[in-house]
Amino acid sequence: MDILIQQLINGITVGSVYALVALGYTMVYGIIGLINFAHGDVVMVGAMLATTVVLAMVGSDPGGSSAWFTVIVSLLAAIPACMVVGWIAERYAYRPLLRAPRLAALITAIGVSFIIQNLAMMIWGRNYLSFPHIIEPIIYQLGGARISQLQIIIILGATIIMAGLLMVVHRTRLGTAMRATAQNREVAGLMGVNIHTVISAAFLIGSALAAVAGVMVTTYYGVAQYTMGFMLGLKAFTAAVLGGIGNLGGAMLGGLLLGIIESLGAGYIGDLTNGVFGSNYQDVFSFIVLILVLVFRPSGLLGERVGDRA
């Protein structure tokens, strides 16, 4: 039972990050019907930039500045940088393809992903960047399981951010414009909604969430590398599909469920099978989930019908 509780804690922590990234996928898909496969690489940019800022601030004296102040500064640097990357991709790669066939936009998204990866490799190199050990590992006992202060902050931070996003979408004029555009882009434009502004806002918000997720990932795992966004992006896409792509609540639920499934598969099930299906195979469980969802429930757990598009 202690192993189960521990893996649930680990799964909720990782699932919170998946949920933040999945929100970026589902917002863009809900509005323009595009699977933005470059979104995971925006997360990577946030992680790499945040690690670089922390390394520059810490220097040779890890105890020279407040740990959480340093992390907050790195977050404040990563968010606008990721928003710029997302805006450039939307403005110059995706906007000219709004009325193009979906396959053209999909291929373009894959191309943008490769461009961001290679630019990151040119800037930061091929090697891993190690996040300095500046955060004191404060551990709390929860029955027979343990939860760290960092895990608590990641879970609470992701929860607050997701709740704030729901408030924006359902209680503001921008959110109303987003929902109208998602329902029918042409009619929303006829009613006075600036479609391009709404789409840009979706990319900017999604990129900001990606930056936060990137900082969370690099502080939690302690490393960042230019290819890290590929697998993280695929898992977040799986989470979005699991919950129902186009549905914000579904993306949150899918992210949490996927994190829990991964952790149970890597730890609890791995322990029951003497390590045969241990942590080395945790990615397998994610894609098994994706296959099962696509086969048996393509709309996802909370999937809703998005307006038909030509």
Side-chain angles (χ1 to χ4, degrees), residues 26-292:
T26 206
M27 286 179 63
V28 171
Y29 181 83
I31 292 176
I32 62 175
L34 168 69
I35 303 296
N36 181 20
F37 280 118
H39 190 61
D41 297 290
V42 179
V43 179
M44 174 271 296
V45 170
M48 298 289 280
L49 183 59
T51 304
T52 302
V53 171
V54 171
L55 287 170
M57 292 183 65
V58 170
S60 59
D61 182 15
S65 59
S66 169
W68 291 111
F69 173 76
T70 304
V71 173
I72 291 172
V73 171
S74 70
L75 181 62
L76 294 177
I79 289 176
C82 288
M83 292 176 73
V84 169
V85 172
W87 181 83
I88 291 175
E90 185 275 328
R91 178 63 182 83
Y92 296 103
Y94 302 139
R95 186 178 296 184
L97 301 174
L98 277 182
R99 299 187 182 278
R102 290 189 181 184
L103 182 60
L106 179 62
I107 294 173
T108 300
I110 296 173
V112 171
S113 173
F114 285 129
I115 290 172
I116 296 175
Q117 278 191 33
N118 282 274
L119 287 176
M121 182 185 67
M122 294 169 62
I123 295 171
W124 286 289
R126 295 176 178 270
N127 297 327
Y128 284 85
L129 294 182
S130 297
F131 193 88
H133 297 288
I134 59 175
I135 299 176
E136 184 179 352
I138 301 175
I139 306 296
Y140 302 98
Q141 291 295 132
L142 189 63
R146 307 197 310 168
I147 183 170
S148 68
Q149 182 187 53
L150 180 58
Q151 286 178 308
I152 294 174
I153 291 175
I154 289 175
I155 294 170
L156 290 179
T159 301
I160 293 171
I161 291 171
M162 290 186 286
L165 178 62
L166 288 177
M167 291 289 292
V168 169
V169 171
H170 293 285
R171 299 294 180 87
T172 66
R173 289 172 60 88
L174 175 61
T176 302
M178 285 181 172
R179 288 184 282 119
T181 305
Q183 188 70 27
N184 192 305
R185 204 161 58 221
E186 287 73 21
V187 173
L190 293 174
M191 297 299 292
V193 175
N194 190 322
I195 303 301
H196 294 309
T197 299
V198 170
I199 295 172
S200 294
F203 273 89
L204 290 173
I205 294 173
S207 298
L209 296 177
V212 176
V215 175
M216 288 180 174
V217 168
T218 192
T219 53
Y220 187 60
Y221 291 107
V223 292
Q225 204 247 0
Y226 77 100
T227 60
M228 63 179 287
F230 175 73
M231 185 59 68
L232 180 60
L234 283 180
K235 290 183 178 181
F237 171 68
T238 301
V241 172
L242 173 60
I245 193 162
N247 185 301
L248 295 180
M252 300 175 193
L253 176 62
L256 292 175
L257 287 178
L258 185 64
I260 291 172
I261 291 169
E262 263 196 13
S263 293
L264 291 177
Y268 187 66
I269 297 177
D271 185 68
L272 292 177
T273 58
N274 296 318
V276 174
F277 296 103
S279 58
N280 291 334
Y281 294 91
Q282 66 179 19
D283 296 340
V284 173
F285 297 100
S286 300
F287 297 113
I288 288 175
V289 169
L290 177 59
I291 293 170
L292 292 176

